[in-house]
Amino acid sequence: MNRLNQLVYVRFAPGDLICEERQMPVYLKEIRSEKFRITADLRNIDEQAARESWDGNARALRQYQMQTVAMLDVLQLFRQQAAQSLHGFYGEVSHVLLDILIALEQHFPEYLAKDIYMPQAYSRHVTAQLEPRVRAVEKCLLDKKADRELVRLIFKPLREPDTQLTFGMAMYYRRLISDLQLQQAPRHMDIDERIHHILYAYNFNSPELFRYSTRMLRQKVSQLRTLQEKKALLIWYGKELKNMPANEYALHSGKGSIRSQLEEWMNEEKLFLHTLFTTWES
């Protein structure tokens, strides 16, 4: 990896590179040779996995990941500053480095740092790769009469303009899409309840899901007449939330639990309803 770093940071700055345009084919050949050497190193790590401790290997894999991401970010910056004649070269070098990230994600996803943002080029590659699966899941859910707004908000983070994923978010969506296809939730639930069940298990801690869920709960509560009925419904939903299974995933790591947020909202709503009814009766 040292030679790759030296080439990218020392030789590929636009001002230096344009003075050595004749060297670009040589540089490309060297970049590709380094990629093959790194690929061989990754293959050796893969073969050692069953025999050795993963601590050292995981550190090496994350080092490859972080250095490759940093080089891709620098190449993008160089390309923005460079003359048009250099854009093709930067594109070819970036393509070689993207191959390294693809290999890391395909073979070692569990051992990569999850909170690092993907380079924009790789983020676009991953979202394009996921899009056919997303469309298939959307069609499946809508054919089963799922609420269109609920389905839309699930995949909105993938479709934001200039979206940039973390490695963890990409892994999260691959798993979530698989579970939404299988719909492993209690069969007595209707389709929207099944979707919520999966989203809460996956800690889909999106502000939009929080707003959607509280709006749906308010609508259900508003249809009941007495304070006791309203509070009983909220208590029942709170109990259901607590008893739902959970896994270790989260859409946004470090941003809390969607279930905890909803439980807190329901407690506040019960207090609000009690105050409202008490004031009205007096």
Side-chain angles (χ1 to χ4, degrees):
M1 211 66 172
N2 288 339
R3 182 54 182 159
L4 272 181
N5 279 309
Q6 184 184 21
L7 285 168
V8 170
Y9 293 110
V10 178
R11 298 292 184 185
F12 292 174
D16 297 325
L17 191 60
I18 202 163
C19 297
E20 299 184 15
E21 286 192 71
R22 292 181 182 178
Q23 284 290 102
M24 288 197 293
V26 177
Y27 290 151
L28 274 175
K29 185 176 180 180
E30 194 167 355
I31 287 284
R32 292 188 180 110
S33 295
E34 284 296 300
K35 186 196 87 167
F36 291 135
R37 187 188 62 76
I38 291 168
T39 302
D41 286 348
L42 296 180
R43 192 177 298 115
N44 289 336
I45 290 174
D46 202 15
E47 290 170 357
Q48 294 166 7
R51 304 192 303 271
E52 298 181 8
S53 167
W54 266 96
D55 290 345
N57 288 335
R59 283 194 296 272
L61 291 167
R62 289 181 183 181
Q63 190 80 355
Y64 279 132
Q65 175 198 12
M66 288 186 281
Q67 290 190 17
T68 305
V69 167
M71 283 187 285
L72 281 163
D73 286 340
V74 167
L75 286 168
Q76 182 184 359
L77 181 63
F78 285 169
R79 184 171 180 168
Q80 291 169 351
Q81 299 171 345
Q84 189 70 33
S85 60
L86 300 180
H87 285 196
F89 173 80
Y90 285 126
E92 289 189 67
V93 175
S94 296
H95 185 75
V96 173
L97 296 180
L98 285 173
D99 285 344
I100 296 173
L101 281 186
I102 290 169
L104 285 167
E105 263 223 301
Q106 284 181 343
H107 297 287
F108 310 102
E110 297 291 339
Y111 300 96
L112 301 183
K114 296 176 178 58
D115 56 349
I116 293 177
Y117 279 99
M118 293 176 167
Q120 287 185 357
Y122 192 57
S123 185
R124 288 194 297 269
H125 164 79
V126 170
T127 52
Q129 190 181 54
L130 285 172
E131 185 60 26
R133 294 182 62 197
V134 168
R135 287 199 300 269
V137 172
E138 283 179 321
K139 184 178 184 308
C140 173
L141 297 177
L142 293 174
D143 286 349
K144 294 180 179 180
K145 309 302 182 188
D147 181 21
R148 188 172 294 274
E149 184 183 355
L150 177 60
V151 174
R152 180 196 60 79
L153 71 83
I154 296 171
F155 301 111
K156 185 180 177 185
L158 285 175
R159 288 170 167 160
E160 294 282 8
D162 300 322
T163 187
Q164 196 172 7
L165 303 177
T166 63
F167 284 85
M169 281 181 70
M171 190 184 304
Y172 175 93
Y173 266 107
R174 291 187 186 110
R175 292 189 178 111
L176 177 63
I177 288 167
S178 296
D179 259 17
L180 286 170
Q181 286 173 321
L182 294 173
Q183 289 184 42
Q184 292 180 338
R187 292 294 166 187
H188 66 270
M189 296 178 174
D190 66 28
I191 183 63
D192 288 343
E193 288 172 333
R194 284 187 219 165
I195 293 171
H196 275 95
H197 189 279
I198 293 168
L199 294 180
Y200 295 149
Y202 270 83
N203 191 16
F204 193 91
N205 51 355
S206 153
E208 203 161 352
L209 178 61
F210 176 79
R211 288 192 293 269
Y212 176 92
S213 299
T214 54
R215 188 170 70 252
M216 294 299 104
L217 281 170
R218 277 202 181 100
Q219 287 179 7
K220 290 178 183 292
V221 167
S222 67
Q223 294 168 5
L224 301 173
R225 290 182 61 255
T226 67
L227 174 62
Q228 288 75 14
E229 289 173 322
K230 294 174 187 289
K231 289 173 71 173
L233 182 67
L234 291 171
I235 290 168
W236 184 84
Y237 272 109
K239 182 173 68 69
E240 287 293 295
L241 274 176
K242 284 182 180 177
N243 292 332
M244 282 182 185
N247 56 41
E248 71 275 22
Y249 310 126
L251 176 63
H252 301 293
S253 61
K255 291 193 176 179
S257 160
I258 183 67
R259 293 200 289 185
S260 296
Q261 292 168 18
L262 285 171
E263 286 170 10
E264 184 178 348
W265 177 87
M266 283 187 277
N267 288 332
E268 291 174 355
E269 193 71 5
K270 284 184 287 185
L271 180 60
F272 168 76
L273 288 169
H274 180 81
T275 305
L276 182 67
F277 271 69
T278 304
T279 304
W280 180 76
E281 288 174 357
S282 63

Coordinates of all heavy atoms in Angstrom, one line a residue, residues 7 13 21 29 47 84 92 100 129 132 172 180 202-203 208 212 217 235-236 246 248 250 263:
L7 N 2.5 7.1 -5.0 CA 2.1 7.5 -6.3 C 1.0 8.6 -6.3 O 1.0 9.6 -6.9 CB 1.6 6.3 -7.2 CG 2.7 5.4 -7.7 CD1 2.1 4.1 -8.2 CD2 3.5 6.1 -8.8
A13 N -0.7 14.8 -8.1 CA -1.2 16.1 -8.0 C -1.2 16.7 -9.4 O -0.3 16.5 -10.2 CB -0.3 17.0 -7.1
E21 N 3.1 13.9 -18.4 CA 2.0 13.1 -19.1 C 2.5 11.9 -19.8 O 1.8 10.9 -19.9 CB 1.3 14.1 -20.1 CG 0.4 15.1 -19.4 CD -0.5 15.8 -20.4 OE1 -1.4 15.2 -20.9 OE2 -0.3 17.0 -20.6
K29 N 0.3 1.2 -15.3 CA 0.7 -0.2 -15.2 C 1.2 -0.5 -13.8 O 0.9 -1.6 -13.2 CB 1.9 -0.3 -16.2 CG 2.4 -1.8 -16.2 CD 3.5 -1.9 -17.3 CE 4.0 -3.4 -17.3 NZ 5.1 -3.5 -18.3
E47 N -7.6 -17.1 3.2 CA -7.2 -18.5 3.4 C -6.8 -18.8 4.8 O -6.9 -19.9 5.4 CB -6.1 -18.9 2.4 CG -6.5 -19.0 1.0 CD -5.3 -19.1 0.0 OE1 -4.2 -19.0 0.5 OE2 -5.6 -19.3 -1.2
Q84 N -8.9 19.2 -18.3 CA -9.7 18.1 -18.8 C -8.9 17.0 -19.4 O -9.3 15.8 -19.3 CB -10.6 18.7 -20.0 CG -11.6 17.8 -20.5 CD -12.8 17.6 -19.5 OE1 -13.1 18.5 -18.8 NE2 -13.4 16.4 -19.5
E92 N -9.3 6.3 -14.6 CA -8.8 4.9 -14.7 C -8.1 4.5 -13.4 O -8.3 3.3 -12.9 CB -7.8 4.8 -15.8 CG -8.4 4.9 -17.2 CD -7.4 4.6 -18.3 OE1 -6.9 3.4 -18.4 OE2 -7.1 5.5 -19.1
I100 N -10.5 -2.6 -5.5 CA -10.0 -3.0 -4.1 C -11.1 -2.9 -3.1 O -11.3 -3.9 -2.3 CB -8.8 -2.2 -3.7 CG1 -7.6 -2.4 -4.7 CG2 -8.4 -2.5 -2.3 CD1 -6.4 -1.4 -4.4
Q129 N -26.2 -0.7 -7.7 CA -26.3 -2.2 -7.5 C -27.5 -2.6 -6.7 O -28.1 -3.6 -7.0 CB -25.0 -2.6 -6.8 CG -24.7 -4.1 -6.8 CD -23.4 -4.4 -6.1 OE1 -23.2 -4.0 -4.9 NE2 -22.6 -5.1 -6.7
P132 N -32.1 -2.4 -8.4 CA -33.0 -3.5 -8.8 C -33.7 -4.3 -7.7 O -34.8 -4.6 -7.8 CB -32.1 -4.4 -9.7 CG -31.0 -3.5 -10.1 CD -30.7 -2.6 -8.9
Y172 N -26.3 -2.5 6.1 CA -27.6 -2.5 6.8 C -28.7 -2.7 5.7 O -29.6 -3.6 5.9 CB -27.8 -1.2 7.4 CG -29.1 -0.9 8.1 CD1 -29.4 -1.2 9.4 CD2 -30.2 -0.4 7.3 CE1 -30.6 -1.0 10.0 CE2 -31.4 -0.2 7.9 CZ -31.6 -0.5 9.2 OH -32.9 -0.2 9.8
L180 N -37.1 -7.9 4.4 CA -38.4 -7.4 3.8 C -38.9 -8.4 2.8 O -40.1 -8.5 2.6 CB -38.2 -6.0 3.3 CG -38.1 -4.9 4.3 CD1 -37.7 -3.6 3.6 CD2 -39.3 -4.7 5.1
Y202 N -34.8 -3.8 13.2 CA -33.6 -3.3 12.6 C -33.2 -1.9 13.1 O -32.3 -1.3 12.5 CB -33.7 -3.3 11.1 CG -33.3 -4.6 10.4 CD1 -34.1 -5.7 10.4 CD2 -32.0 -4.8 9.9 CE1 -33.7 -6.9 9.8 CE2 -31.6 -6.0 9.3 CZ -32.5 -7.0 9.3 OH -32.1 -8.2 8.7
N203 N -33.9 -1.4 14.0 CA -33.7 0.0 14.5 C -33.5 1.0 13.4 O -32.5 1.6 13.2 CB -32.4 0.0 15.4 CG -32.3 1.4 16.1 OD1 -33.3 2.1 16.2 ND2 -31.1 1.6 16.7
E208 N -38.0 10.4 9.8 CA -39.2 10.3 9.0 C -40.1 9.1 9.5 O -41.3 9.2 9.5 CB -38.9 10.1 7.5 CG -40.1 10.5 6.7 CD -39.6 10.8 5.2 OE1 -38.4 10.8 4.9 OE2 -40.5 11.0 4.4
Y212 N -43.9 9.4 11.0 CA -44.9 8.6 10.4 C -45.6 7.8 11.5 O -46.9 7.7 11.6 CB -44.3 7.7 9.3 CG -45.3 6.7 8.7 CD1 -46.0 7.0 7.6 CD2 -45.5 5.4 9.3 CE1 -46.9 6.1 7.0 CE2 -46.4 4.5 8.8 CZ -47.1 4.9 7.6 OH -48.0 4.0 7.1
L217 N -50.3 6.6 15.2 CA -50.7 6.4 16.5 C -51.8 7.4 16.9 O -52.8 7.1 17.5 CB -49.6 6.3 17.5 CG -48.8 5.0 17.5 CD1 -47.5 5.2 18.4 CD2 -49.6 3.9 18.1
I235 N -50.7 2.1 26.0 CA -50.0 1.1 26.9 C -49.8 -0.2 26.1 O -48.7 -0.8 26.2 CB -50.8 0.9 28.2 CG1 -50.7 2.2 29.0 CG2 -50.3 -0.3 28.9 CD1 -51.7 2.2 30.2
W236 N -50.8 -0.6 25.3 CA -50.7 -1.8 24.6 C -49.6 -1.7 23.5 O -48.8 -2.7 23.4 CB -52.0 -2.1 23.9 CG -52.0 -3.5 23.2 CD1 -52.2 -4.7 23.7 CD2 -51.7 -3.7 21.8 NE1 -52.1 -5.7 22.7 CE2 -51.8 -5.1 21.6 CE3 -51.5 -2.8 20.7 CZ2 -51.6 -5.6 20.3 CZ3 -51.2 -3.4 19.5 CH2 -51.3 -4.7 19.3
A246 N -35.0 -7.7 18.7 CA -34.1 -6.7 18.2 C -32.8 -7.3 17.8 O -32.5 -8.4 18.3 CB -33.9 -5.6 19.3
E248 N -28.5 -6.2 16.4 CA -27.5 -5.2 16.7 C -27.4 -4.1 15.7 O -26.5 -3.2 15.8 CB -26.1 -5.9 16.9 CG -25.5 -6.4 15.6 CD -26.0 -7.8 15.2 OE1 -27.1 -8.2 15.6 OE2 -25.3 -8.5 14.4
A250 N -28.4 -0.8 13.1 CA -29.1 0.5 13.2 C -28.8 1.2 11.9 O -27.8 1.1 11.3 CB -28.6 1.3 14.3
E263 N -41.3 5.0 22.6 CA -41.8 4.7 24.0 C -41.8 6.0 24.8 O -42.8 6.3 25.5 CB -40.8 3.7 24.7 CG -41.0 2.3 24.2 CD -39.9 1.4 24.7 OE1 -39.2 1.8 25.6 OE2 -39.9 0.2 24.3

